[in-house]
Amino acid sequence: MTANGKVSDKIVQLSFRSHHNAYKNGDGLETEIYDFSTQPTGLWYKWCQILYGLLVFHYFLWFIPLFVIFWLPYWLGYPLISGMLIGWYTVTYFTTDELHLGRQWDLFRCNRLWKILQHYIGFEIIREVPLDPTRKYIFAHHPHGILILTRIASYGGVFEKLFPGVEVRVLGATPMFNLPGCREVCLWLGGVRADKFVGVNLLRTKNPNLSLYVFPGGSDEIFETEKESKETVIISRKGFIRLALEEGADIVPSFGFGEKDAYHKLTIPKFITNFCLKNFKMPIIIFWGKFLTLLPLQGERGLSVVYGQPIRIDKPVAHPSDELVNEIYTKYYDEIRNLFEKYKTKYGYDESEKLIIKEARLKTKSAQNVSA
């Protein structure tokens, strides 16, 4: 955003680190650079980052604060208050917000506290071109990684700064909306369930600024995340391509660098992981980060997200042919490959690092998944 309130046509870079920057002032390129690398010094801030990170990344334990809130009034001798709180929560739990517009809480999603983790991880975000907020978009991001750490790069008002006027809902796995505590946080951050009818309904709402953010590789890409590998493997799908064509939504390719550096992972036999993913829709994986917890390791090159050139879909196509789907599919993955090759050395990858694009083999049980 420029000083006069207009969206900048330049490449925009937001950086929370002082190294491995794609662009620097004086490069002679048309760039608009925001340096957020300055952060408080001292041991107290490092401990704030660690404690905040432990809280955020151990999402499967978020039910514990809920339990304490319900139990504490009872323990203090106010069982009626406990009963009322449990009743109120039960009603909110069984709503179907994740199947509609979600329950986004902007005060939470755009809170400046997210910068604590953005500094800890060392993010850099690139937006190559501005977007017209009157159009619909499907932001399609690779790779998924183990915990999709790159999604944190969009919080704290970052996404709103890059794409003013564009509002998104993030499509997430069903289990995330079943776990108490985790469900609420996902909804507050703009999450909805990754069912096709949810995506269709969102793109057809009366809100002209509402778009989708999807992770086409899904849980399959978790098992392709190898910390020491010189290959970055992503899983390609066509479901979101078909959805974009049917709804006339432009596709914005997005790529994340450094996701595979965040965790160590134990290798589990493929037949076990495939069985669990197919039958329970849950990946079975053993991984760990700092202090043997889910706190990410601080990689030397940090994590980076690049939003590339959107693929224009001029008008909705009621029943897109396989040929048309394949054409847009090829354009999208060509742009993903272009982003990888253009930025890999800027972000600390070797010139020999390769991007491997695999077509999805394991089909979801339901063809109603957006990416299927």
Side-chain angles (χ1 to χ4, degrees):
M1 187 80 74
T2 61
N4 60 9
K6 293 184 178 180
V7 179
S8 173
D9 291 331
K10 300 178 181 178
I11 294 173
V12 175
Q13 172 179 293
L14 280 70
S15 189
F16 292 86
R17 61 176 187 252
S18 57
H19 57 87
H20 287 99
N21 304 123
Y23 302 104
K24 295 181 180 179
N25 287 316
D27 285 346
L29 299 172
E30 287 291 311
T31 56
E32 191 171 311
I33 297 175
Y34 296 89
D35 183 4
F36 299 116
S37 62
T38 303
Q39 57 181 302
T41 57
L43 192 60
W44 70 271
Y45 189 66
K46 293 187 182 298
W47 275 108
C48 280
Q49 291 177 319
I50 290 171
L51 293 174
Y52 189 38
L54 289 171
L55 173 66
V56 168
F57 294 113
H58 290 79
Y59 56 87
F60 58 90
L61 298 177
W62 290 342
F63 71 92
I64 294 177
L66 277 176
F67 174 80
V68 172
I69 291 171
F70 298 152
W71 171 78
L72 190 59
Y74 180 84
W75 181 72
L76 293 173
Y78 301 99
L80 181 60
I81 295 178
S82 284
M84 291 172 63
L85 288 172
I86 292 172
W88 169 79
Y89 180 74
T90 301
V91 171
T92 64
Y93 181 85
F94 287 104
T95 63
T96 55
D97 291 340
E98 71 274 18
L99 301 179
H100 298 95
L101 288 175
R103 201 189 301 165
Q104 182 165 300
W105 184 13
D106 289 338
L107 184 61
F108 179 71
R109 188 178 183 277
C110 298
N111 198 288
R112 292 175 62 85
L113 285 175
W114 289 109
K115 287 181 170 51
I116 295 174
L117 286 184
Q118 289 164 341
H119 279 137
Y120 172 82
I121 294 172
F123 276 114
E124 180 163 283
I125 308 99
I126 300 286
R127 187 214 71 189
E128 291 202 325
V129 296
L131 298 181
D132 178 357
T134 65
R135 293 188 61 79
K136 301 279 189 179
Y137 300 95
I138 295 180
F139 294 81
H141 180 89
H142 286 284
H144 182 288
I146 292 179
L147 285 186
I148 325 181
L149 297 178
T150 45
R151 61 189 162 177
I152 295 173
S154 65
Y155 302 153
V158 170
F159 187 88
E160 289 73 15
K161 190 175 186 68
L162 292 172
F163 305 109
V166 178
E167 185 180 349
V168 292
R169 293 294 183 268
V170 182
L171 274 61
T174 299
M176 302 297 289
F177 300 98
N178 295 336
L179 187 63
C182 179
R183 167 186 171 79
E184 283 66 45
V185 173
C186 287
L187 287 170
W188 293 341
L189 290 172
V192 292
R193 229 168 69 177
D195 292 315
K196 183 175 181 179
F197 77 90
V198 176
V200 169
N201 290 339
L202 285 170
L203 290 174
R204 292 180 182 177
T205 60
K206 294 180 180 179
N207 183 351
N209 309 109
L210 194 57
S211 297
L212 300 181
Y213 204 120
V214 304
F215 300 91
S219 299
D220 288 355
E221 280 185 356
I222 293 175
F223 307 108
E224 303 291 350
T225 304
E226 299 292 343
K227 190 175 189 300
E228 304 301 329
S229 175
K230 291 295 182 181
E231 294 180 344
T232 297
V233 181
I234 64 175
I235 306 297
S236 67
R237 287 189 169 90
K238 298 179 181 178
F240 72 100
I241 302 287
R242 190 174 295 276
L243 176 63
L245 286 166
E246 291 172 347
E247 302 304 321
D250 297 346
I251 303 171
V252 181
S254 171
F255 198 87
F257 295 85
E259 187 90 45
K260 66 182 181 181
D261 298 335
Y263 294 104
H264 299 289
K265 189 183 75 169
L266 184 67
T267 302
I268 298 175
K270 201 91 171 179
F271 75 92
I272 296 178
T273 59
N274 285 347
F275 176 83
C276 293
L277 192 61
K278 181 178 180 180
N279 292 279
F280 306 116
K281 297 185 181 178
M282 282 290 288
I284 299 299
I285 182 171
I286 299 174
F287 65 97
W288 63 95
K290 211 166 195 175
F291 313 129
L292 298 178
T293 69
L294 301 191
L295 185 68
L297 302 168
Q298 290 176 288
E300 179 184 343
R301 50 195 178 190
L303 267 73
S304 308
V305 182
V306 182
Y307 296 97
Q309 297 271 350
I311 298 165
R312 177 90 175 197
I313 307 297
D314 290 319
K315 60 182 180 179
V317 181
H319 303 287
S321 65
D322 290 342
E323 290 77 11
L324 181 56
V325 171
N326 289 336
E327 178 188 337
I328 303 301
Y329 168 89
T330 300
K331 286 182 179 180
Y332 168 76
Y333 281 103
D334 282 349
E335 182 61 20
I336 286 291
R337 189 177 293 281
N338 289 339
L339 291 176
F340 179 80
E341 294 297 334
K342 181 178 180 179
Y343 288 95
K344 67 179 182 181
T345 55
K346 295 177 184 289
Y347 289 137
Y349 286 42
D350 291 340
E351 185 64 48
S352 60
E353 183 98 11
K354 295 181 179 179
L355 177 66
I356 308 297
I357 302 176
K358 293 182 179 179
E359 285 197 35
R361 293 181 181 178
L362 188 62
K363 301 294 183 182
T364 58
K365 276 190 172 181
S366 172
Q368 298 308 308
N369 186 281
V370 165
S371 297

